[in-house]
Amino acid sequence: MASELSFIMIKPDGVQRGLVGEIIVRFEKKGFKLKALKLVQVERSFAEKHYEDLSSKPFFAGLVEYIVSGPVVAMVWEGKGVVLTGRKIIGATKPAEANPGTIRGDYAIDVGRNVIHGSDSVESAHKEIALWFPDGVVEWHSSLHPWINE
Ligand code: UDP
Ligand code: MG
C-alpha cells in the first residue's frame, strides 16, 4: 500500500519542442498517478540547488544554463516502483545509449538536450519534491486504482 513518488521534470527543450503531451501520456497510460504539476521558469540559484550533487562536474555550468533557458514542467508521479520504472521510461542519460521506445531514445540526440529529468532514487525523489513542491502534493482518489493495482 505504501506508495512511491518520483519527481519528473520536462526540461526547456522538451517544452519548446512541444513534447509535454507526449511525455505525460507515457506516465499516465502506464498507470502512474499524477500528484503535482506546474510550468515554471526557475532561477539560476534554484537550478544549482536541484543539481547540487553535480556541482563539481565539468558540464555543470552548461547544465544550469540549459535548465534556466526556458520554462520547465515539474511533476510528481506516484505508483509502485515509479522511481526505477520512471528511469526506464526516460531511458539512458546519453540519448545515443537510450533504447528506442524510451523518451530519450525516441526524442533526443545530445546529452545536453536530453528532454527530461527523473529522480534516480526514492531518497533523491523526496529531496527534489521538497525543493520543487514545498507546499506538498495533491492527495486525491483515482477510481482507476483497483484496475491498475492488484
Ligand atoms: N549531463 C551533461 N553532460 C554529461 C552528463 C550529464 O550535460 O556528460 C546533463 C544531462 O542533461 C543529464 C544531467 O546533466 O540529464 C544530469 O546528469 P545525471 O548524470 O544525473 O543524468 P540523469 O540522471 O539526468 O540521467
Ligand atoms: Mg540524475
Side-chain angles (χ1 to χ4, degrees), residues 75-89:
M75 298 177 278
V76 176
W77 288 89
E78 181 181 67
K80 232 173 270 171
V82 66
V83 169
L84 187 62
T85 303
R87 297 278 295 187
K88 289 181 184 166
I89 291 170

Side-chain angles (χ1 to χ4, degrees), residues 15-65:
V15 174
Q16 292 288 348
R17 291 175 57 199
L19 296 174
V20 172
E22 292 292 331
I23 289 170
I24 289 176
V25 83
R26 293 185 183 212
F27 284 85
E28 220 173 22
K29 283 188 172 168
K30 174 70 174 169
F32 292 132
K33 182 181 176 187
L34 185 62
K35 300 294 292 280
L37 178 150
K38 64 182 176 185
L39 177 79
V40 59
Q41 180 143 14
V42 300
E43 302 282 344
R44 187 169 304 272
S45 58
F46 189 94
E48 287 169 353
K49 178 102 185 112
H50 171 76
Y51 280 121
E52 65 185 359
D53 292 351
L54 300 175
S55 61
S56 63
K57 301 285 185 190
F59 57 82
F60 184 70
L63 172 58
V64 169
E65 204 61 50

Side-chain angles (χ1 to χ4, degrees), residues 3 6 11 15 18 29 46 72 77-78 85-86 89 91 102 106 131-132 141:
S3 221
S6 186
K11 294 176 176 178
V15 174
K29 283 188 172 168
F46 189 94
V72 301
W77 288 89
E78 181 181 67
T85 303
I89 291 170
T102 66
D106 288 350
L131 176 68
W132 288 81
H141 174 75

Side-chain angles (χ1 to χ4, degrees), residues 111-125:
V111 67
R113 297 289 184 274
N114 63 358
V115 172
I116 182 165
H117 164 85
S119 304
D120 63 6
S121 67
V122 169
E123 191 195 353
S124 41

